Amino acid sequence: MPLVTSEQMLLDAQKGGYAVGAFNVENMEMLKAVVAAAEELHAPVMLQTTPSTVRYGTLETFKAMAAAEAEKATVPVCLHLDHGSSYELVLKAIRAGYTSVMFDGSHETFEENIRLTKQAADAAKACGIPVEGELGKVGGKEDDLEVEEDTNTDPMQAKEFVEKTGVTSLAVAIGTAHGFYANKPVLDKERITEVKKLVSIPLVLHGASGLSDEDVKECVQRGMCKVNFATELRVVYTGAGKKLLAEDPELFDPKKLGIAGMEAVKEFVKGRMLVCGCDQKAR
């Protein structure tokens, strides 16, 4: 089927008490592997690219690959811009054919985050594209984004933010971090419950790579409707290639490396989808 937007996908997850897995893809092989996993588990899925990934491969290239795989799939596939760093990039992604976008103004003041996110949300709404915003700061480093300290989302600010910006989903900070954790994370899971009481739109969990299955499941039970995975996929993909080269140092066929990476990513993604509870939820 053609690429779909994230809006109904996340509303279904909110109603059903599960989360859609959103997976950052860096190349054709990872993209194909994620869609294959979704097919095998009959799960809705979101493919994501970050600003550095689209600089590497271009928005148009990733859209073309995603559209080709979605067309063959029997499950809903969405292509999402993760951590859109500017209004201009959000517009370029929409023009290129992305079916969901995120504008990340979390590094700005509260008032400026509202202003910039509303600008992006208004433009996207005119094109029928849903927009994810972020309030609070998720620590760690991913892509071009680096935050030294965590600032968890204030529930009352979340209510005001959603009302003033018109975003269709909201990433909230609860103590997670991008990348892998140097120490065991201390998650304020109650914060999810508090935000959910005041905010009606689907909530998003960033920084899930490295979290235990139990932590992810509880976050979903408390109201997270979309869970992002990025670093783990990179490690799994490159790890498969390293293993194959260690076994056969003379290997030079990139297709064999790609096949090994795809199989490893597919199995990993299936495991994360099961934790999110989105298996057998495709419509």
Side-chain angles (χ1 to χ4, degrees), residues 125-169:
K125 184 178 181 180
C127 302
I129 301 299
V131 176
E132 175 184 328
E134 182 170 334
L135 184 63
K137 292 181 173 64
V138 178
K141 178 175 175 60
E142 178 185 37
D143 199 55
D144 298 327
L145 178 72
E146 186 166 7
V147 180
E148 293 182 357
E149 296 182 359
D150 295 341
T151 304
N152 290 352
T153 305
D154 178 272
M156 288 303 297
Q157 283 193 340
K159 182 177 185 293
E160 181 181 352
F161 182 85
V162 170
E163 290 173 349
K164 289 185 175 180
T165 61
V167 292
T168 53
S169 60

Short mmCIF file of all heavy atoms in Angstrom, two decimals, residues 125-169:
data_model
loop_
_atom_site.label_atom_id
_atom_site.label_comp_id
_atom_site.label_asym_id
_atom_site.label_seq_id
_atom_site.Cartn_x
_atom_site.Cartn_y
_atom_site.Cartn_z
N LYS A 125 0.06 21.04 8.66
CA LYS A 125 -1.39 20.81 8.67
C LYS A 125 -2.01 21.21 7.34
O LYS A 125 -2.93 20.53 6.84
CB LYS A 125 -2.02 21.61 9.81
CG LYS A 125 -3.52 21.37 9.96
CD LYS A 125 -4.08 22.15 11.13
CE LYS A 125 -5.59 21.89 11.28
NZ LYS A 125 -6.15 22.65 12.44
N ALA A 126 -1.52 22.29 6.74
CA ALA A 126 -2.04 22.73 5.44
C ALA A 126 -1.80 21.69 4.35
O ALA A 126 -2.51 21.67 3.34
CB ALA A 126 -1.39 24.06 5.06
N CYS A 127 -0.81 20.82 4.59
CA CYS A 127 -0.47 19.77 3.62
C CYS A 127 -1.02 18.41 4.04
O CYS A 127 -0.77 17.40 3.37
CB CYS A 127 1.04 19.67 3.46
SG CYS A 127 1.85 21.19 2.93
N GLY A 128 -1.74 18.36 5.16
CA GLY A 128 -2.29 17.10 5.63
C GLY A 128 -1.28 16.19 6.28
O GLY A 128 -1.49 14.97 6.36
N ILE A 129 -0.20 16.76 6.78
CA ILE A 129 0.87 15.96 7.39
C ILE A 129 0.91 16.20 8.90
O ILE A 129 0.96 17.35 9.35
CB ILE A 129 2.24 16.32 6.77
CG1 ILE A 129 2.24 16.08 5.27
CG2 ILE A 129 3.36 15.52 7.44
CD1 ILE A 129 1.97 14.62 4.87
N PRO A 130 0.91 15.14 9.71
CA PRO A 130 0.98 15.29 11.18
C PRO A 130 2.36 15.71 11.65
O PRO A 130 3.37 15.42 10.98
CB PRO A 130 0.61 13.89 11.68
CG PRO A 130 0.97 12.97 10.57
CD PRO A 130 0.76 13.73 9.30
N VAL A 131 2.38 16.37 12.80
CA VAL A 131 3.63 16.89 13.34
C VAL A 131 3.83 16.47 14.79
O VAL A 131 2.93 16.59 15.61
CB VAL A 131 3.68 18.44 13.27
CG1 VAL A 131 4.94 18.97 13.94
CG2 VAL A 131 3.63 18.90 11.84
N GLU A 132 5.02 15.97 15.08
CA GLU A 132 5.43 15.65 16.44
C GLU A 132 6.25 16.81 16.99
O GLU A 132 7.12 17.34 16.29
CB GLU A 132 6.26 14.38 16.44
CG GLU A 132 6.86 13.98 17.79
CD GLU A 132 7.77 12.76 17.69
OE1 GLU A 132 7.52 11.88 16.82
OE2 GLU A 132 8.74 12.69 18.47
N GLY A 133 5.97 17.20 18.22
CA GLY A 133 6.77 18.22 18.89
C GLY A 133 7.50 17.58 20.07
O GLY A 133 7.25 16.43 20.42
N GLU A 134 8.40 18.33 20.67
CA GLU A 134 9.11 17.83 21.85
C GLU A 134 9.18 18.91 22.91
O GLU A 134 9.49 20.07 22.63
CB GLU A 134 10.52 17.35 21.51
CG GLU A 134 11.26 16.78 22.71
CD GLU A 134 12.57 16.08 22.36
OE1 GLU A 134 12.72 15.60 21.24
OE2 GLU A 134 13.44 16.03 23.25
N LEU A 135 8.89 18.51 24.14
CA LEU A 135 8.95 19.43 25.27
C LEU A 135 9.73 18.77 26.39
O LEU A 135 9.48 17.62 26.74
CB LEU A 135 7.54 19.78 25.75
CG LEU A 135 7.46 20.82 26.86
CD1 LEU A 135 8.01 22.16 26.40
CD2 LEU A 135 6.01 20.98 27.33
N GLY A 136 10.66 19.52 26.98
CA GLY A 136 11.61 18.92 27.91
C GLY A 136 12.81 18.47 27.10
O GLY A 136 12.80 18.48 25.86
N LYS A 137 13.85 18.07 27.78
CA LYS A 137 15.07 17.69 27.07
C LYS A 137 15.43 16.23 27.36
O LYS A 137 15.53 15.83 28.52
CB LYS A 137 16.23 18.61 27.47
CG LYS A 137 16.04 20.05 26.98
CD LYS A 137 17.22 20.91 27.38
CE LYS A 137 17.10 22.30 26.75
NZ LYS A 137 15.94 23.04 27.24
N VAL A 138 15.64 15.47 26.30
CA VAL A 138 16.12 14.11 26.42
C VAL A 138 17.63 14.17 26.34
O VAL A 138 18.19 14.73 25.40
CB VAL A 138 15.56 13.21 25.29
CG1 VAL A 138 16.10 11.80 25.42
CG2 VAL A 138 14.03 13.20 25.36
N GLY A 139 18.32 13.62 27.34
CA GLY A 139 19.77 13.74 27.42
C GLY A 139 20.50 12.90 26.40
O GLY A 139 19.91 12.24 25.55
N GLY A 140 21.83 12.91 26.48
CA GLY A 140 22.66 12.07 25.61
C GLY A 140 22.92 12.70 24.26
O GLY A 140 22.74 13.90 24.05
N LYS A 141 23.37 11.87 23.32
CA LYS A 141 23.74 12.35 21.99
C LYS A 141 23.20 11.41 20.93
O LYS A 141 23.33 10.21 21.02
CB LYS A 141 25.25 12.47 21.84
CG LYS A 141 25.70 12.94 20.45
CD LYS A 141 27.19 13.16 20.39
CE LYS A 141 27.65 13.50 18.99
NZ LYS A 141 27.03 14.71 18.45
N GLU A 142 22.52 12.00 19.94
CA GLU A 142 22.07 11.25 18.79
C GLU A 142 22.14 12.17 17.59
O GLU A 142 21.66 13.30 17.63
CB GLU A 142 20.63 10.75 18.96
CG GLU A 142 20.11 10.00 17.74
CD GLU A 142 18.65 9.62 17.88
OE1 GLU A 142 17.87 10.40 18.43
OE2 GLU A 142 18.31 8.54 17.43
N ASP A 143 22.76 11.69 16.49
CA ASP A 143 22.82 12.49 15.29
C ASP A 143 23.55 13.80 15.61
O ASP A 143 24.61 13.81 16.21
CB ASP A 143 21.40 12.70 14.76
CG ASP A 143 21.40 13.12 13.31
OD1 ASP A 143 21.99 12.38 12.52
OD2 ASP A 143 20.82 14.16 12.99
N ASP A 144 22.97 14.95 15.24
CA ASP A 144 23.58 16.25 15.52
C ASP A 144 23.14 16.81 16.87
O ASP A 144 23.57 17.87 17.29
CB ASP A 144 23.20 17.26 14.44
CG ASP A 144 23.69 16.84 13.07
OD1 ASP A 144 24.75 16.21 13.01
OD2 ASP A 144 23.01 17.13 12.08
N LEU A 145 22.26 16.09 17.54
CA LEU A 145 21.67 16.57 18.78
C LEU A 145 22.50 16.12 19.98
O LEU A 145 22.81 14.96 20.11
CB LEU A 145 20.25 16.02 18.91
CG LEU A 145 19.47 16.38 20.16
CD1 LEU A 145 19.06 17.85 20.12
CD2 LEU A 145 18.23 15.50 20.27
N GLU A 146 22.84 17.08 20.85
CA GLU A 146 23.57 16.72 22.06
C GLU A 146 23.05 17.54 23.22
O GLU A 146 22.96 18.76 23.15
CB GLU A 146 25.07 16.94 21.89
CG GLU A 146 25.88 16.45 23.07
CD GLU A 146 27.36 16.35 22.78
OE1 GLU A 146 27.78 16.79 21.70
OE2 GLU A 146 28.09 15.83 23.64
N VAL A 147 22.67 16.85 24.28
CA VAL A 147 22.15 17.50 25.48
C VAL A 147 22.90 16.95 26.67
O VAL A 147 23.01 15.74 26.84
CB VAL A 147 20.64 17.24 25.66
CG1 VAL A 147 20.13 17.93 26.92
CG2 VAL A 147 19.86 17.74 24.44
N GLU A 148 23.45 17.81 27.50
CA GLU A 148 24.26 17.36 28.62
C GLU A 148 23.41 16.99 29.83
O GLU A 148 23.76 16.09 30.59
CB GLU A 148 25.27 18.45 29.00
CG GLU A 148 26.33 18.68 27.92
CD GLU A 148 27.34 19.72 28.34
OE1 GLU A 148 27.18 20.29 29.44
OE2 GLU A 148 28.28 19.98 27.58
N GLU A 149 22.30 17.70 30.06
CA GLU A 149 21.49 17.44 31.24
C GLU A 149 20.04 17.17 30.84
O GLU A 149 19.54 17.69 29.85
CB GLU A 149 21.54 18.65 32.18
CG GLU A 149 22.93 18.92 32.75
CD GLU A 149 22.93 20.09 33.70
OE1 GLU A 149 21.85 20.68 33.89
OE2 GLU A 149 23.98 20.40 34.25
N ASP A 150 19.38 16.34 31.63
CA ASP A 150 17.98 16.05 31.39
C ASP A 150 17.11 17.10 32.09
O ASP A 150 17.37 17.50 33.22
CB ASP A 150 17.61 14.68 31.95
CG ASP A 150 18.32 13.55 31.24
OD1 ASP A 150 18.79 13.80 30.12
OD2 ASP A 150 18.40 12.45 31.80
N THR A 151 16.05 17.52 31.42
CA THR A 151 15.04 18.38 32.01
C THR A 151 13.71 17.75 31.68
O THR A 151 13.25 17.82 30.55
CB THR A 151 15.11 19.81 31.46
OG1 THR A 151 16.43 20.32 31.66
CG2 THR A 151 14.12 20.71 32.17
N ASN A 152 13.10 17.09 32.65
CA ASN A 152 11.87 16.37 32.39
C ASN A 152 10.71 17.30 32.09
O ASN A 152 10.66 18.45 32.55
CB ASN A 152 11.53 15.46 33.57
CG ASN A 152 12.50 14.29 33.68
OD1 ASN A 152 13.33 14.07 32.81
ND2 ASN A 152 12.38 13.54 34.76
N THR A 153 9.76 16.80 31.33
CA THR A 153 8.63 17.58 30.87
C THR A 153 7.69 17.96 32.02
O THR A 153 7.30 17.10 32.82
CB THR A 153 7.83 16.80 29.81
OG1 THR A 153 8.72 16.43 28.76
CG2 THR A 153 6.70 17.64 29.25
N ASP A 154 7.33 19.22 32.08
CA ASP A 154 6.36 19.70 33.06
C ASP A 154 4.95 19.47 32.51
O ASP A 154 4.63 19.94 31.41
CB ASP A 154 6.57 21.20 33.31
CG ASP A 154 5.57 21.76 34.29
OD1 ASP A 154 4.48 22.18 33.84
OD2 ASP A 154 5.86 21.77 35.49
N PRO A 155 4.10 18.73 33.22
CA PRO A 155 2.76 18.40 32.70
C PRO A 155 1.92 19.61 32.32
O PRO A 155 1.25 19.61 31.28
CB PRO A 155 2.13 17.61 33.85
CG PRO A 155 3.29 17.00 34.56
CD PRO A 155 4.37 18.03 34.50
N MET A 156 1.92 20.65 33.16
CA MET A 156 1.13 21.84 32.85
C MET A 156 1.66 22.56 31.61
O MET A 156 0.89 23.07 30.79
CB MET A 156 1.11 22.80 34.05
CG MET A 156 0.27 22.30 35.22
SD MET A 156 -1.46 21.98 34.75
CE MET A 156 -1.99 23.62 34.27
N GLN A 157 2.98 22.59 31.48
CA GLN A 157 3.56 23.17 30.27
C GLN A 157 3.20 22.34 29.04
O GLN A 157 2.97 22.88 27.95
CB GLN A 157 5.07 23.29 30.40
CG GLN A 157 5.54 24.43 31.27
CD GLN A 157 7.04 24.69 31.13
OE1 GLN A 157 7.79 23.83 30.69
NE2 GLN A 157 7.46 25.90 31.48
N ALA A 158 3.15 21.02 29.22
CA ALA A 158 2.78 20.14 28.11
C ALA A 158 1.38 20.46 27.61
O ALA A 158 1.13 20.52 26.40
CB ALA A 158 2.87 18.68 28.54
N LYS A 159 0.46 20.67 28.52
CA LYS A 159 -0.92 21.03 28.15
C LYS A 159 -0.95 22.33 27.36
O LYS A 159 -1.58 22.42 26.30
CB LYS A 159 -1.76 21.16 29.42
CG LYS A 159 -3.23 21.49 29.20
CD LYS A 159 -3.97 21.52 30.52
CE LYS A 159 -5.48 21.71 30.33
NZ LYS A 159 -5.77 23.06 29.79
N GLU A 160 -0.24 23.33 27.85
CA GLU A 160 -0.19 24.63 27.17
C GLU A 160 0.48 24.49 25.80
O GLU A 160 0.02 25.07 24.81
CB GLU A 160 0.55 25.64 28.03
CG GLU A 160 0.63 27.03 27.41
CD GLU A 160 1.41 28.02 28.28
OE1 GLU A 160 1.76 27.66 29.44
OE2 GLU A 160 1.69 29.13 27.80
N PHE A 161 1.55 23.73 25.75
CA PHE A 161 2.31 23.55 24.52
C PHE A 161 1.43 22.93 23.43
O PHE A 161 1.40 23.40 22.29
CB PHE A 161 3.52 22.66 24.80
CG PHE A 161 4.42 22.43 23.63
CD1 PHE A 161 5.42 23.34 23.31
CD2 PHE A 161 4.29 21.30 22.84
CE1 PHE A 161 6.27 23.13 22.23
CE2 PHE A 161 5.13 21.07 21.75
CZ PHE A 161 6.13 21.99 21.45
N VAL A 162 0.72 21.88 23.78
CA VAL A 162 -0.14 21.20 22.81
C VAL A 162 -1.26 22.12 22.34
O VAL A 162 -1.57 22.18 21.14
CB VAL A 162 -0.71 19.90 23.42
CG1 VAL A 162 -1.79 19.31 22.54
CG2 VAL A 162 0.41 18.89 23.63
N GLU A 163 -1.87 22.82 23.26
CA GLU A 163 -2.98 23.71 22.90
C GLU A 163 -2.53 24.84 21.98
O GLU A 163 -3.25 25.22 21.05
CB GLU A 163 -3.61 24.29 24.16
CG GLU A 163 -4.36 23.26 24.99
CD GLU A 163 -4.83 23.80 26.33
OE1 GLU A 163 -4.37 24.93 26.71
OE2 GLU A 163 -5.62 23.13 27.01
N LYS A 164 -1.33 25.37 22.21
CA LYS A 164 -0.88 26.53 21.44
C LYS A 164 -0.20 26.18 20.13
O LYS A 164 -0.14 27.02 19.22
CB LYS A 164 0.07 27.38 22.30
CG LYS A 164 -0.65 28.11 23.43
CD LYS A 164 0.30 29.04 24.18
CE LYS A 164 -0.43 29.86 25.23
NZ LYS A 164 0.48 30.77 25.97
N THR A 165 0.33 24.96 20.02
CA THR A 165 1.07 24.59 18.80
C THR A 165 0.24 23.81 17.80
O THR A 165 0.47 23.90 16.60
CB THR A 165 2.31 23.74 19.13
OG1 THR A 165 1.89 22.53 19.78
CG2 THR A 165 3.28 24.51 20.02
N GLY A 166 -0.71 23.00 18.28
CA GLY A 166 -1.49 22.17 17.37
C GLY A 166 -0.78 20.92 16.91
O GLY A 166 -1.17 20.31 15.90
N VAL A 167 0.28 20.49 17.62
CA VAL A 167 0.96 19.25 17.24
C VAL A 167 0.02 18.07 17.43
O VAL A 167 -0.91 18.11 18.23
CB VAL A 167 2.26 19.03 18.07
CG1 VAL A 167 3.30 20.06 17.71
CG2 VAL A 167 1.96 19.04 19.57
N THR A 168 0.29 16.99 16.68
CA THR A 168 -0.57 15.81 16.75
C THR A 168 0.02 14.71 17.62
O THR A 168 -0.65 13.73 17.94
CB THR A 168 -0.83 15.25 15.35
OG1 THR A 168 0.42 15.04 14.68
CG2 THR A 168 -1.67 16.24 14.52
N SER A 169 1.28 14.85 18.02
CA SER A 169 1.89 13.93 18.99
C SER A 169 2.99 14.70 19.72
O SER A 169 3.50 15.70 19.21
CB SER A 169 2.47 12.67 18.32
OG SER A 169 3.47 13.00 17.38
#
